[in-house]
Amino acid sequence: MLSGAFATIGRYWKPLIGVALTLFGAVALVMVVALVVAASAVASQWDELTSDSPGSPDAAELVPLGVAFGVLMVIGMIVYLLASAMMQAAVPVVLQEAVLGRPIRFGEVWKRAWSRVWSIIGAVFLTGLIMIVPMALFLLAFVGLMAYTVSLGDEDGLMPMALVGSLLGLVLAPVAMWLWVRFSLAPTVVVFENQRPVAALRRSAQLVRGTWWRVFGVTLLGFGLAAVIGFMIQMPFQMIGMVPGLFDPADMGSEPSDGALIAMLGSVALLSFISQMISQLITMILPPLVIGLLYVDLRMRTENLGPVLAGAAGATLPEQYGPPPPAHV
């Protein structure tokens, strides 16, 4: 699975990297524009908001700042969700051609991925709901424990809340993981079989039945390897960003000017952004490729997909890879 994923990246890196750069470059641009708009919304009150005088700023003056950053966070979440869904649709589109040995261009990938993006969002949303319950319980337990600690044990009901939340979270977490693995093939099914979200979840559960541990192990390995590669990519950039902090301004003969400080912070932020972008390319491409190859492998093992792929390789690619033909065909 891993060698196939890396081989696909090596052969189809142009459409994969091109779509990823376009999407996350657009995300970065939208975030910069939103940040500029949010900053301009509070610029006229900046002196009052940052004043050290008693009684300033008051709660009313903080409202615009809170609203601006709240809107910024919502915009960022929406744009990032859309970009992530496009990538989860684009990777299986490329994989469809890869298993047939055909080339594919950026425009075709974009067109076919966009046609399935809303179904991908639905499938990812339904799958994500599975993990919300144990996460909410753990969050409830954490909040209860923190409140109990801050109150120095004065509140009697906080510790039981933390214990109950932790126990329920520990009980439900394995169930949520089991369900998540069963439905992990849904985004690939949406693209390969042109299914709607609920039907894709059912189809994923059908394919994973009897091979849960194998799917879990390969998926975990794919996500873990992507995380390690991403960390290794970011490490050199983070080390470069730490270099200016190793020097004491007194050792340099004079304190740096405001412009020098701004330039230094800007360069560190730019390096961090570049490392995050490169790391994002790996983490958004490799795991979906591994999951997509799992889907193809499971269908070849259980549904004799090989003859279907062989027939499709010699003809025009169909709208979807439907069920295999009867044995006598």
Side-chain angles (χ1 to χ4, degrees):
M1 296 298 171
L2 293 177
S3 62
F6 283 111
T8 303
I9 294 175
R11 183 175 180 182
Y12 294 89
W13 67 271
K14 289 183 178 179
L16 287 172
I17 300 299
V19 172
L21 284 176
T22 301
L23 289 170
F24 293 104
V27 170
L29 180 60
V30 170
M31 289 299 297
V32 168
V33 172
L35 183 60
V36 170
V37 173
S40 63
V42 298
S44 60
Q45 299 179 342
W46 185 253
D47 292 337
E48 297 180 4
L49 293 173
T50 57
S51 175
D52 293 332
S53 60
S56 179
D58 58 24
E61 293 173 337
L62 292 175
V63 171
L65 183 63
V67 172
F69 281 99
V71 172
L72 178 63
M73 292 180 61
V74 171
I75 292 175
M77 291 175 59
I78 293 175
V79 175
Y80 184 82
L81 173 63
L82 186 59
S84 300
M86 274 291 291
M87 276 308 301
Q88 293 199 53
V91 171
V93 167
V94 174
L95 187 60
Q96 279 183 320
E97 301 296 340
V99 295
L100 298 176
R102 295 176 174 175
I104 187 169
R105 296 183 179 275
F106 173 89
E108 183 66 18
V109 174
W110 188 273
K111 178 182 177 181
R112 286 163 56 181
W114 180 254
S115 67
R116 304 305 302 154
V117 68
W118 301 111
S119 294
I120 287 285
I121 290 176
V124 172
F125 175 76
L126 292 175
T127 306
L129 287 177
I130 298 171
M131 305 302 296
I132 286 181
V133 175
M135 290 177 62
L137 289 172
F138 284 125
L139 180 61
L140 179 65
F142 176 78
V143 171
L145 182 60
M146 290 297 101
Y148 182 83
T149 303
V150 171
S151 65
L152 301 178
D154 292 338
E155 298 293 336
D156 296 333
L158 294 177
M159 184 53 71
M161 181 180 72
L163 292 176
V164 171
S166 299
L167 292 176
L168 290 177
L170 290 173
V171 170
L172 293 179
V175 178
M177 179 59 67
W178 179 76
L179 290 174
W180 185 85
V181 172
R182 280 178 60 87
F183 299 142
S184 60
L185 302 181
T188 304
V189 173
V190 166
V191 176
F192 269 72
E193 301 185 19
N194 199 27
Q195 296 279 9
R196 294 184 178 275
V198 176
L201 295 179
R202 290 198 296 262
R203 176 68 167 146
S204 175
Q206 176 188 354
L207 290 171
V208 174
R209 186 180 299 117
T211 60
W212 188 94
W213 283 108
R214 181 168 177 266
V215 174
F216 171 74
V218 175
T219 302
L220 182 63
L221 184 60
F223 277 99
L225 184 60
V228 171
I229 295 175
F231 177 75
M232 293 176 63
I233 291 174
Q234 293 186 49
M235 188 183 301
F237 292 91
Q238 293 177 353
M239 293 178 65
I240 294 174
M242 293 171 60
V243 169
L246 299 178
F247 298 95
D248 189 349
D251 299 334
M252 301 172 62
S254 63
E255 293 187 0
S257 63
D258 293 341
L261 288 175
I262 293 175
M264 182 183 68
L265 293 175
S267 62
V268 171
L270 179 61
L271 288 174
S272 177
F273 173 76
I274 293 174
S275 66
Q276 288 284 350
M277 180 69 73
I278 298 175
S279 175
Q280 194 77 9
L281 297 180
I282 300 299
T283 56
M284 292 303 297
I285 291 176
L286 183 59
L289 266 180
V290 173
I291 293 174
L293 288 170
L294 266 174
Y295 165 85
V296 175
D297 178 75
L298 289 173
R299 288 204 60 184
M300 292 185 71
R301 290 170 181 268
T302 61
E303 298 180 351
N304 195 25
L305 186 62
V308 178
L309 295 178
T316 303
L317 183 68
E319 290 266 337
Q320 62 185 44
Y321 295 135
H328 65 275
V329 176

